[in-house]
Short mmCIF file of all heavy atoms in Angstrom, two decimals:
data_model
loop_
_atom_site.label_atom_id
_atom_site.label_comp_id
_atom_site.label_asym_id
_atom_site.label_seq_id
_atom_site.Cartn_x
_atom_site.Cartn_y
_atom_site.Cartn_z
N SER A 631 47.22 -43.72 -95.47
CA SER A 631 48.09 -44.31 -94.50
C SER A 631 47.31 -45.23 -93.42
O SER A 631 48.07 -45.79 -92.52
CB SER A 631 49.04 -43.45 -93.91
OG SER A 631 48.23 -42.36 -93.22
N TYR A 632 46.04 -45.05 -93.38
CA TYR A 632 45.28 -45.59 -92.26
C TYR A 632 45.51 -47.05 -91.91
O TYR A 632 45.43 -47.64 -90.80
CB TYR A 632 43.84 -45.32 -92.27
CG TYR A 632 43.10 -46.35 -93.12
CD1 TYR A 632 42.43 -47.38 -92.60
CD2 TYR A 632 43.01 -46.16 -94.48
CE1 TYR A 632 41.79 -48.27 -93.44
CE2 TYR A 632 42.43 -47.07 -95.31
CZ TYR A 632 41.69 -48.14 -94.77
OH TYR A 632 41.07 -49.07 -95.61
N LYS A 633 45.88 -47.80 -93.00
CA LYS A 633 46.13 -49.36 -92.78
C LYS A 633 47.34 -49.70 -92.14
O LYS A 633 47.54 -50.80 -91.64
CB LYS A 633 46.01 -50.05 -94.18
CG LYS A 633 44.60 -50.34 -94.59
CD LYS A 633 44.51 -51.44 -95.54
CE LYS A 633 43.11 -51.75 -95.85
NZ LYS A 633 42.85 -52.02 -97.18
N ARG A 634 48.37 -48.75 -92.05
CA ARG A 634 49.59 -49.04 -91.41
C ARG A 634 49.46 -49.57 -89.94
O ARG A 634 48.54 -49.05 -89.26
CB ARG A 634 50.45 -47.83 -91.42
CG ARG A 634 51.18 -47.74 -92.74
CD ARG A 634 52.16 -46.60 -92.73
NE ARG A 634 52.28 -45.94 -94.03
CZ ARG A 634 52.59 -44.81 -94.24
NH1 ARG A 634 52.76 -43.91 -93.36
NH2 ARG A 634 52.65 -44.38 -95.50
N GLY A 635 50.21 -50.43 -89.60
CA GLY A 635 50.15 -50.88 -88.18
C GLY A 635 49.35 -52.12 -87.99
O GLY A 635 48.38 -52.31 -88.82
N LYS A 636 49.56 -52.98 -87.07
CA LYS A 636 48.89 -54.16 -86.95
C LYS A 636 47.70 -54.10 -86.18
O LYS A 636 46.65 -54.96 -86.21
CB LYS A 636 49.78 -55.32 -86.41
CG LYS A 636 50.77 -55.80 -87.44
CD LYS A 636 51.60 -57.00 -87.09
CE LYS A 636 52.45 -57.44 -88.01
NZ LYS A 636 53.94 -57.61 -87.56
N LEU A 637 47.52 -53.13 -85.30
CA LEU A 637 46.49 -52.97 -84.38
C LEU A 637 45.31 -52.57 -85.23
O LEU A 637 45.39 -52.06 -86.25
CB LEU A 637 46.81 -51.88 -83.31
CG LEU A 637 47.73 -52.12 -82.20
CD1 LEU A 637 48.00 -50.86 -81.41
CD2 LEU A 637 47.12 -53.18 -81.35
N PRO A 638 44.12 -53.04 -84.72
CA PRO A 638 42.84 -52.60 -85.52
C PRO A 638 42.50 -51.10 -85.21
O PRO A 638 41.46 -50.61 -85.61
CB PRO A 638 41.76 -53.51 -84.92
CG PRO A 638 42.25 -53.79 -83.49
CD PRO A 638 43.77 -53.86 -83.54
N PHE A 639 43.35 -50.47 -84.53
CA PHE A 639 43.07 -48.88 -84.24
C PHE A 639 43.76 -48.01 -85.12
O PHE A 639 44.86 -48.31 -85.65
CB PHE A 639 43.18 -48.69 -82.75
CG PHE A 639 42.30 -49.51 -81.94
CD1 PHE A 639 42.79 -50.46 -81.17
CD2 PHE A 639 41.10 -49.21 -81.94
CE1 PHE A 639 41.91 -51.29 -80.40
CE2 PHE A 639 40.08 -49.96 -81.17
CZ PHE A 639 40.65 -51.04 -80.34
N LEU A 640 43.27 -46.93 -85.23
CA LEU A 640 43.84 -45.82 -86.11
C LEU A 640 44.99 -45.12 -85.41
O LEU A 640 44.97 -44.88 -84.16
CB LEU A 640 42.82 -44.84 -86.51
CG LEU A 640 41.58 -45.36 -87.36
CD1 LEU A 640 40.55 -44.29 -87.37
CD2 LEU A 640 42.06 -45.61 -88.75
N ASP A 641 45.87 -44.58 -86.20
CA ASP A 641 46.92 -43.73 -85.69
C ASP A 641 46.72 -42.40 -86.21
O ASP A 641 46.71 -42.18 -87.39
CB ASP A 641 48.35 -44.26 -86.12
CG ASP A 641 49.32 -43.17 -85.88
OD1 ASP A 641 49.29 -42.40 -84.99
OD2 ASP A 641 50.29 -43.15 -86.76
N ARG A 642 46.24 -41.33 -85.36
CA ARG A 642 45.96 -40.05 -85.86
C ARG A 642 47.17 -39.09 -85.75
O ARG A 642 47.12 -37.95 -86.06
CB ARG A 642 44.76 -39.56 -85.16
CG ARG A 642 43.47 -39.96 -85.89
CD ARG A 642 42.28 -38.98 -85.54
NE ARG A 642 41.19 -39.38 -86.30
CZ ARG A 642 40.31 -40.36 -86.03
NH1 ARG A 642 40.55 -41.03 -84.96
NH2 ARG A 642 39.32 -40.52 -86.83
N LYS A 643 48.24 -39.62 -84.97
CA LYS A 643 49.25 -38.78 -84.70
C LYS A 643 50.09 -38.29 -85.88
O LYS A 643 50.27 -37.18 -86.16
CB LYS A 643 50.27 -39.37 -83.71
CG LYS A 643 50.42 -38.53 -82.47
CD LYS A 643 51.61 -39.12 -81.58
CE LYS A 643 51.10 -39.37 -80.18
NZ LYS A 643 52.02 -40.36 -79.39
N ASN A 644 50.58 -39.28 -86.62
CA ASN A 644 51.34 -39.06 -87.87
C ASN A 644 50.52 -38.20 -88.89
O ASN A 644 51.06 -37.19 -89.48
CB ASN A 644 51.85 -40.35 -88.43
CG ASN A 644 52.94 -40.91 -87.51
OD1 ASN A 644 53.60 -40.15 -86.93
ND2 ASN A 644 53.03 -42.22 -87.52
N PRO A 645 49.20 -38.62 -89.17
CA PRO A 645 48.49 -37.83 -90.13
C PRO A 645 48.36 -36.35 -89.63
O PRO A 645 48.35 -35.47 -90.41
CB PRO A 645 47.16 -38.54 -90.09
CG PRO A 645 47.37 -39.98 -89.75
CD PRO A 645 48.47 -39.91 -88.82
N LYS A 646 48.26 -36.21 -88.40
CA LYS A 646 48.03 -34.82 -87.89
C LYS A 646 49.28 -34.05 -88.22
O LYS A 646 49.30 -32.88 -88.56
CB LYS A 646 47.74 -34.82 -86.41
CG LYS A 646 47.43 -33.42 -85.76
CD LYS A 646 46.81 -33.59 -84.41
CE LYS A 646 46.93 -32.33 -83.58
NZ LYS A 646 46.24 -31.18 -84.12
N GLN A 647 50.41 -34.60 -87.87
CA GLN A 647 51.81 -34.01 -88.18
C GLN A 647 51.91 -33.57 -89.64
O GLN A 647 52.16 -32.53 -90.10
CB GLN A 647 52.88 -35.04 -87.77
CG GLN A 647 54.21 -34.35 -87.78
CD GLN A 647 54.17 -33.11 -86.83
OE1 GLN A 647 53.73 -33.25 -85.69
NE2 GLN A 647 54.66 -32.06 -87.29
N LEU A 648 51.47 -34.69 -90.54
CA LEU A 648 51.47 -34.57 -91.91
C LEU A 648 50.68 -33.31 -92.39
O LEU A 648 51.02 -32.46 -93.15
CB LEU A 648 51.09 -35.72 -92.62
CG LEU A 648 50.94 -35.74 -94.16
CD1 LEU A 648 52.42 -35.42 -94.70
CD2 LEU A 648 50.53 -37.12 -94.67
N ALA A 649 49.34 -33.36 -91.77
CA ALA A 649 48.40 -32.26 -92.20
C ALA A 649 49.01 -30.90 -91.79
O ALA A 649 48.92 -29.90 -92.58
CB ALA A 649 47.13 -32.53 -91.41
N GLU A 650 49.64 -30.82 -90.60
CA GLU A 650 50.09 -29.53 -90.22
C GLU A 650 51.26 -29.10 -91.13
O GLU A 650 51.46 -27.95 -91.35
CB GLU A 650 50.48 -29.50 -88.75
CG GLU A 650 49.45 -28.82 -87.96
CD GLU A 650 49.03 -29.34 -86.70
OE1 GLU A 650 49.87 -29.87 -85.95
OE2 GLU A 650 47.77 -29.37 -86.42
N ASN A 651 52.09 -30.11 -91.49
CA ASN A 651 53.28 -29.84 -92.40
C ASN A 651 52.75 -29.26 -93.66
O ASN A 651 53.26 -28.33 -94.31
CB ASN A 651 54.12 -31.12 -92.60
CG ASN A 651 54.94 -31.37 -91.44
OD1 ASN A 651 55.01 -30.61 -90.56
ND2 ASN A 651 55.50 -32.61 -91.46
N ILE A 652 51.65 -29.88 -94.22
CA ILE A 652 51.13 -29.48 -95.58
C ILE A 652 50.58 -28.13 -95.37
O ILE A 652 50.77 -27.28 -96.25
CB ILE A 652 50.19 -30.55 -96.06
CG1 ILE A 652 50.88 -31.75 -96.55
CG2 ILE A 652 49.37 -30.00 -97.20
CD1 ILE A 652 50.01 -32.86 -97.00
N ILE A 653 49.77 -27.78 -94.41
CA ILE A 653 49.18 -26.51 -94.14
C ILE A 653 50.27 -25.51 -94.15
O ILE A 653 50.16 -24.52 -94.77
CB ILE A 653 48.28 -26.50 -92.87
CG1 ILE A 653 47.15 -27.40 -93.00
CG2 ILE A 653 47.87 -25.14 -92.52
CD1 ILE A 653 46.37 -27.60 -91.75
N ARG A 654 51.42 -25.79 -93.51
CA ARG A 654 52.49 -24.86 -93.33
C ARG A 654 53.23 -24.70 -94.73
O ARG A 654 53.34 -23.56 -95.19
CB ARG A 654 53.39 -25.30 -92.28
CG ARG A 654 54.29 -24.10 -91.75
CD ARG A 654 55.32 -24.60 -90.72
NE ARG A 654 56.08 -25.78 -91.31
CZ ARG A 654 56.12 -26.90 -90.68
NH1 ARG A 654 55.68 -27.13 -89.49
NH2 ARG A 654 56.76 -28.01 -91.20
N ASP A 655 53.61 -25.88 -95.25
CA ASP A 655 54.50 -25.68 -96.43
C ASP A 655 53.80 -25.16 -97.63
O ASP A 655 54.29 -24.45 -98.47
CB ASP A 655 55.14 -27.06 -96.75
CG ASP A 655 55.99 -27.55 -95.62
OD1 ASP A 655 56.40 -26.65 -94.82
OD2 ASP A 655 56.21 -28.82 -95.57
N LEU A 656 52.51 -25.62 -97.92
CA LEU A 656 51.89 -25.22 -99.12
C LEU A 656 50.96 -24.01 -98.83
O LEU A 656 50.22 -23.69 -99.68
CB LEU A 656 51.07 -26.44 -99.62
CG LEU A 656 51.78 -27.62 -99.93
CD1 LEU A 656 50.87 -28.72 -100.55
CD2 LEU A 656 52.93 -27.41 -100.85
N GLU A 657 50.98 -23.45 -97.67
CA GLU A 657 50.16 -22.27 -97.31
C GLU A 657 48.72 -22.46 -97.55
O GLU A 657 48.06 -21.70 -98.26
CB GLU A 657 50.67 -21.04 -98.10
CG GLU A 657 52.04 -20.63 -97.81
CD GLU A 657 52.68 -19.67 -98.72
OE1 GLU A 657 52.09 -19.28 -99.75
OE2 GLU A 657 53.82 -19.08 -98.43
N VAL A 658 48.21 -23.59 -97.01
CA VAL A 658 46.86 -23.78 -97.14
C VAL A 658 46.00 -22.93 -96.06
O VAL A 658 46.42 -22.82 -94.99
CB VAL A 658 46.52 -25.40 -96.71
CG1 VAL A 658 44.97 -25.59 -96.83
CG2 VAL A 658 47.32 -26.28 -97.55
N VAL A 659 45.08 -22.20 -96.70
CA VAL A 659 44.35 -21.36 -95.86
C VAL A 659 43.22 -22.05 -95.13
O VAL A 659 42.20 -22.43 -95.92
CB VAL A 659 43.80 -20.14 -96.72
CG1 VAL A 659 43.07 -19.12 -95.73
CG2 VAL A 659 44.94 -19.42 -97.36
N THR A 660 43.27 -22.28 -93.95
CA THR A 660 42.27 -23.07 -93.26
C THR A 660 42.25 -22.62 -91.81
O THR A 660 43.28 -22.30 -91.22
CB THR A 660 42.49 -24.65 -93.34
OG1 THR A 660 41.64 -25.24 -92.48
CG2 THR A 660 43.98 -24.97 -93.09
N PRO A 661 41.08 -22.65 -91.10
CA PRO A 661 41.08 -22.35 -89.71
C PRO A 661 41.94 -23.25 -88.91
O PRO A 661 42.64 -22.83 -87.95
CB PRO A 661 39.67 -22.39 -89.39
CG PRO A 661 38.87 -22.31 -90.60
CD PRO A 661 39.69 -22.89 -91.60
N SER A 662 41.85 -24.54 -89.15
CA SER A 662 42.61 -25.45 -88.39
C SER A 662 42.77 -26.84 -89.19
O SER A 662 42.00 -26.94 -90.31
CB SER A 662 42.07 -25.84 -86.97
OG SER A 662 41.04 -26.72 -87.13
N SER A 663 43.40 -27.80 -88.74
CA SER A 663 43.58 -29.00 -89.42
C SER A 663 42.33 -29.88 -89.13
O SER A 663 42.23 -30.95 -89.67
CB SER A 663 44.75 -29.79 -89.03
OG SER A 663 44.93 -29.87 -87.60
N HIS A 664 41.44 -29.34 -88.21
CA HIS A 664 40.13 -30.08 -88.07
C HIS A 664 39.07 -29.61 -88.82
O HIS A 664 37.90 -29.99 -88.63
CB HIS A 664 39.80 -29.95 -86.54
CG HIS A 664 40.88 -30.64 -85.62
ND1 HIS A 664 40.94 -31.96 -85.52
CD2 HIS A 664 41.76 -30.06 -84.85
CE1 HIS A 664 41.81 -32.34 -84.64
NE2 HIS A 664 42.40 -31.14 -84.17
N THR A 665 39.31 -28.75 -89.75
CA THR A 665 38.24 -28.23 -90.65
C THR A 665 38.00 -29.19 -91.73
O THR A 665 38.82 -29.74 -92.34
CB THR A 665 38.67 -26.93 -91.28
OG1 THR A 665 39.20 -26.07 -90.33
CG2 THR A 665 37.60 -26.28 -92.06
N PRO A 666 36.63 -29.47 -91.94
CA PRO A 666 36.24 -30.33 -93.04
C PRO A 666 36.70 -29.79 -94.39
O PRO A 666 36.62 -28.62 -94.57
CB PRO A 666 34.72 -30.43 -93.00
CG PRO A 666 34.38 -30.01 -91.71
CD PRO A 666 35.41 -29.13 -91.25
N VAL A 667 37.31 -30.69 -95.17
CA VAL A 667 37.88 -30.07 -96.47
C VAL A 667 36.92 -29.42 -97.46
O VAL A 667 37.31 -28.48 -98.12
CB VAL A 667 38.72 -31.06 -97.34
CG1 VAL A 667 39.99 -31.41 -96.54
CG2 VAL A 667 37.98 -32.38 -97.52
N ARG A 668 35.66 -29.75 -97.22
CA ARG A 668 34.71 -29.16 -98.15
C ARG A 668 34.57 -27.69 -97.91
O ARG A 668 34.06 -26.92 -98.71
CB ARG A 668 33.36 -29.99 -98.10
CG ARG A 668 32.26 -29.43 -97.21
CD ARG A 668 31.16 -30.27 -97.00
NE ARG A 668 30.93 -30.57 -95.68
CZ ARG A 668 30.36 -29.64 -94.80
NH1 ARG A 668 29.96 -28.55 -95.21
NH2 ARG A 668 30.29 -29.99 -93.59
N ARG A 669 34.89 -27.27 -96.64
CA ARG A 669 34.74 -25.91 -96.40
C ARG A 669 35.90 -25.01 -96.95
O ARG A 669 35.77 -23.87 -96.97
CB ARG A 669 34.86 -25.64 -94.93
CG ARG A 669 33.69 -26.18 -94.09
CD ARG A 669 32.84 -24.99 -93.60
NE ARG A 669 31.75 -25.59 -92.80
CZ ARG A 669 31.69 -25.79 -91.49
NH1 ARG A 669 32.75 -25.51 -90.87
NH2 ARG A 669 30.66 -26.23 -90.92
N LEU A 670 36.92 -25.74 -97.32
CA LEU A 670 38.06 -24.92 -98.05
C LEU A 670 37.67 -24.52 -99.45
O LEU A 670 36.79 -24.99 -100.05
CB LEU A 670 39.38 -25.77 -98.06
CG LEU A 670 39.73 -26.45 -96.66
CD1 LEU A 670 40.99 -27.31 -96.86
CD2 LEU A 670 39.90 -25.40 -95.67
N SER A 671 38.44 -23.57 -99.95
CA SER A 671 38.26 -23.12 -101.22
C SER A 671 39.02 -24.08 -102.17
O SER A 671 39.78 -24.96 -101.85
CB SER A 671 38.91 -21.75 -101.49
OG SER A 671 40.21 -21.79 -101.64
N GLY A 672 38.56 -23.95 -103.54
CA GLY A 672 39.11 -24.98 -104.49
C GLY A 672 40.59 -25.21 -104.52
O GLY A 672 41.08 -26.33 -104.51
N GLY A 673 41.35 -24.04 -104.44
CA GLY A 673 42.76 -24.07 -104.51
C GLY A 673 43.34 -24.71 -103.22
O GLY A 673 44.21 -25.53 -103.39
N ASN A 674 42.75 -24.59 -102.09
CA ASN A 674 43.25 -25.11 -100.91
C ASN A 674 42.95 -26.59 -100.84
O ASN A 674 43.77 -27.44 -100.32
CB ASN A 674 42.68 -24.47 -99.67
CG ASN A 674 43.30 -23.06 -99.55
OD1 ASN A 674 44.50 -22.90 -99.66
ND2 ASN A 674 42.55 -22.01 -99.31
N ILE A 675 41.78 -26.98 -101.37
CA ILE A 675 41.40 -28.43 -101.47
C ILE A 675 42.47 -29.07 -102.24
O ILE A 675 43.06 -30.11 -101.87
CB ILE A 675 40.04 -28.63 -102.06
CG1 ILE A 675 38.96 -28.08 -101.03
CG2 ILE A 675 39.72 -29.97 -102.44
CD1 ILE A 675 37.58 -28.13 -101.64
N GLN A 676 42.80 -28.54 -103.42
CA GLN A 676 43.77 -29.09 -104.29
C GLN A 676 45.15 -29.25 -103.63
O GLN A 676 45.82 -30.24 -103.77
CB GLN A 676 43.90 -28.39 -105.69
CG GLN A 676 44.72 -29.05 -106.61
CD GLN A 676 44.05 -30.39 -107.14
OE1 GLN A 676 43.47 -31.10 -106.46
NE2 GLN A 676 44.19 -30.67 -108.36
N LYS A 677 45.51 -28.21 -102.92
CA LYS A 677 46.82 -28.35 -102.25
C LYS A 677 46.86 -29.46 -101.10
O LYS A 677 47.91 -30.12 -101.03
CB LYS A 677 47.01 -26.90 -101.43
CG LYS A 677 47.45 -25.77 -102.35
CD LYS A 677 47.78 -24.56 -101.56
CE LYS A 677 47.82 -23.32 -102.39
NZ LYS A 677 47.82 -22.13 -101.54
N VAL A 678 45.71 -29.59 -100.49
CA VAL A 678 45.69 -30.65 -99.50
C VAL A 678 45.85 -32.06 -100.26
O VAL A 678 46.66 -32.86 -99.75
CB VAL A 678 44.32 -30.75 -98.74
CG1 VAL A 678 44.11 -31.84 -97.97
CG2 VAL A 678 44.33 -29.48 -97.86
N LEU A 679 45.16 -32.18 -101.37
CA LEU A 679 45.23 -33.37 -102.07
C LEU A 679 46.61 -33.72 -102.60
O LEU A 679 47.18 -34.85 -102.45
CB LEU A 679 44.16 -33.43 -103.25
CG LEU A 679 44.04 -34.61 -104.16
CD1 LEU A 679 43.95 -35.89 -103.37
CD2 LEU A 679 42.95 -34.46 -105.11
N VAL A 680 47.14 -32.74 -103.33
CA VAL A 680 48.49 -32.92 -103.95
C VAL A 680 49.45 -33.09 -102.86
O VAL A 680 50.37 -33.95 -102.99
CB VAL A 680 48.73 -31.70 -104.89
CG1 VAL A 680 50.19 -31.84 -105.41
CG2 VAL A 680 47.77 -31.62 -106.10
N GLY A 681 49.34 -32.26 -101.83
CA GLY A 681 50.30 -32.51 -100.69
C GLY A 681 50.31 -33.90 -100.16
O GLY A 681 51.26 -34.48 -99.98
N ARG A 682 49.04 -34.47 -100.04
CA ARG A 682 49.09 -35.73 -99.49
C ARG A 682 49.67 -36.81 -100.45
O ARG A 682 50.43 -37.63 -100.03
CB ARG A 682 47.62 -36.21 -99.29
CG ARG A 682 47.51 -37.52 -98.63
CD ARG A 682 46.02 -38.05 -98.65
NE ARG A 682 45.66 -38.50 -99.98
CZ ARG A 682 44.50 -38.55 -100.31
NH1 ARG A 682 43.49 -38.16 -99.60
NH2 ARG A 682 44.14 -38.95 -101.69
N GLU A 683 49.34 -36.66 -101.78
CA GLU A 683 49.97 -37.58 -102.73
C GLU A 683 51.42 -37.47 -102.79
O GLU A 683 52.19 -38.47 -103.05
CB GLU A 683 49.24 -37.33 -104.07
CG GLU A 683 47.82 -37.73 -104.11
CD GLU A 683 47.62 -39.22 -103.74
OE1 GLU A 683 48.06 -40.05 -104.50
OE2 GLU A 683 46.92 -39.50 -102.67
N ILE A 684 51.91 -36.26 -102.75
CA ILE A 684 53.42 -36.15 -102.66
C ILE A 684 54.05 -36.70 -101.53
O ILE A 684 55.22 -37.12 -101.57
CB ILE A 684 53.74 -34.63 -103.01
CG1 ILE A 684 53.40 -34.23 -104.42
CG2 ILE A 684 55.22 -34.44 -102.80
CD1 ILE A 684 53.46 -32.84 -104.74
N ALA A 685 53.35 -36.43 -100.36
CA ALA A 685 54.00 -36.87 -99.10
C ALA A 685 54.44 -38.41 -99.07
O ALA A 685 55.25 -38.73 -98.28
CB ALA A 685 53.00 -36.62 -97.96
#
Side-chain angles (χ1 to χ4, degrees):
Chain A
S631 58
Y632 79 96
K633 273 205 174 136
R634 276 189 210 145
K636 283 191 181 128
L637 287 172
F639 296 107
L640 296 166
D641 161 34
R642 275 202 172 80
K643 232 189 236 163
N644 290 327
K646 185 168 166 55
Q647 193 55 48
L648 178 61
E650 255 138 41
N651 287 346
I652 287 174
I653 291 170
R654 196 184 54 232
D655 297 343
L656 302 186
E657 294 169 354
V658 178
V659 182
T660 170
S662 82
S663 55
H664 293 286
T665 310
V667 286
R668 96 190 125 76
R669 290 252 180 92
L670 306 181
S671 75
N674 289 315
I675 289 174
Q676 187 68 323
K677 282 181 195 168
V678 169
L679 175 56
V680 174
R682 184 192 73 203
E683 289 303 297
I684 289 173

